[in-house]
Amino acid sequence: MNTPFQKASEWIDAENAQDPNIETDQNIEYPKELLYSNRMYEKLMQFCPEASEEVQIASKAQHICRWKVARESYPMDRVGYLRWREDLKKFHAKTTAEILERAGYEQAFIDRVSFLIEKKLLKKDTETQLLEDVICLVFLDYYLEPFVEKHDDEKLKNIIKKTWDKMSEKGHQEALKINYSEENLNLIKASLGL
């Protein structure tokens, strides 16, 4: 018999597998959010193998069904962007809560996962901080390169600095172990004054 964790993981993967957006990794095509979910979970397990089941599920469901809430459906300005991000957190938490309920989890567990996905009490709650560290590490490891191709140095330095500011000291140490290209490593060092 599958455990609630196995059921929830399978159902989260099944939802993310419906993403019509495709991303290629090592010559294999994946639904974009399924690939992101797998990267989040793998990075969490590398960074903090003893992470609670709540954090494990929150890492997998961080972007669940993200394509269903289009950025273009909000004003294309800073206020619109921030509102989109807030609404996404609620959408991800609600979508995940429904799956967890179906999988047989208690309400307290579901509430905790929602709390984490909504990134409440960042810097104050150790598990919210852990999740944020993993989000930042996944960004730096897998998504910095495409960003570099799209933005000028000043914008990139700002993005890197903001990413760094969200992370814990342990997250910083882990981030410096990532195998960056020489250009990106220099960019990171310049952004942080290292």
Side-chain angles (χ1 to χ4, degrees):
M1 187 62 194
N2 280 356
T3 64
F5 180 78
Q6 287 168 324
K7 284 185 205 165
S9 295
E10 278 173 31
W11 293 338
I12 289 165
D13 285 350
E15 288 295 325
N16 280 328
Q18 294 173 46
D19 189 349
N21 304 294
I22 299 298
E23 205 165 287
T24 305
D25 181 47
Q26 297 176 347
N27 297 320
I28 300 172
E29 291 189 339
Y30 297 91
K32 185 179 174 189
E33 294 310 343
L34 180 62
L35 181 61
Y36 181 79
S37 174
N38 290 341
R39 286 171 168 171
M40 282 290 297
Y41 184 72
E42 282 164 19
K43 187 66 78 181
L44 174 67
M45 293 290 91
Q46 286 165 9
F47 182 58
C48 184
E50 71 283 2
S52 71
E53 208 164 294
E54 290 91 336
V55 180
Q56 290 181 46
I57 294 216
S59 75
K60 284 188 73 63
Q62 189 60 34
H63 279 184
I64 190 166
C65 298
R66 193 181 188 96
W67 67 94
K68 292 183 179 178
V69 184
R71 170 67 186 97
E72 296 73 34
S73 60
Y74 290 77
M76 295 305 281
D77 56 16
R78 179 99 184 122
V79 174
Y81 173 75
L82 293 173
R83 212 173 80 228
W84 173 66
R85 290 291 301 265
E86 274 311 300
D87 287 352
L88 270 176
K89 285 183 204 169
K90 293 184 180 106
F91 169 73
H92 296 321
K94 182 177 180 292
T95 306
T96 308
E98 288 164 3
I99 288 172
L100 296 180
E101 200 173 329
R102 220 168 77 220
Y105 278 106
E106 299 288 324
Q107 193 58 47
F109 183 97
I110 297 169
D111 291 346
R112 181 65 179 158
V113 172
S114 294
F115 176 97
L116 293 169
I117 289 174
E118 290 186 46
K119 295 201 243 180
K120 292 187 174 169
L121 295 181
L122 185 60
K123 297 282 184 192
K124 294 191 176 93
D125 184 280
T126 54
E127 289 190 322
T128 302
Q129 185 58 54
L130 169 59
L131 188 63
E132 186 64 39
D133 278 344
V134 172
I135 291 165
C136 294
L137 290 167
V138 166
F139 168 71
L140 291 168
D141 200 353
Y142 297 104
Y143 300 98
L144 179 62
E145 192 70 50
F147 254 77
V148 168
E149 291 162 16
K150 285 188 208 152
H151 300 291
D152 63 64
D153 272 12
E154 276 320 297
K155 177 148 181 147
L156 288 166
K157 284 179 181 173
N158 193 25
I159 289 167
I160 290 166
K161 185 147 182 12
K162 280 184 179 164
T163 301
W164 205 257
D165 288 347
K166 291 180 197 167
M167 297 170 82
S168 68
E169 187 48 46
K170 187 182 173 206
H172 293 159
Q173 289 165 12
E174 194 68 19
L176 291 172
K177 293 179 196 167
I178 292 170
N179 189 17
Y180 302 103
S181 68
E182 195 177 338
E183 295 81 8
N184 286 354
L185 184 58
N186 290 337
L187 179 67
I188 289 167
K189 287 179 171 174
S191 308
L192 305 172
L194 296 177

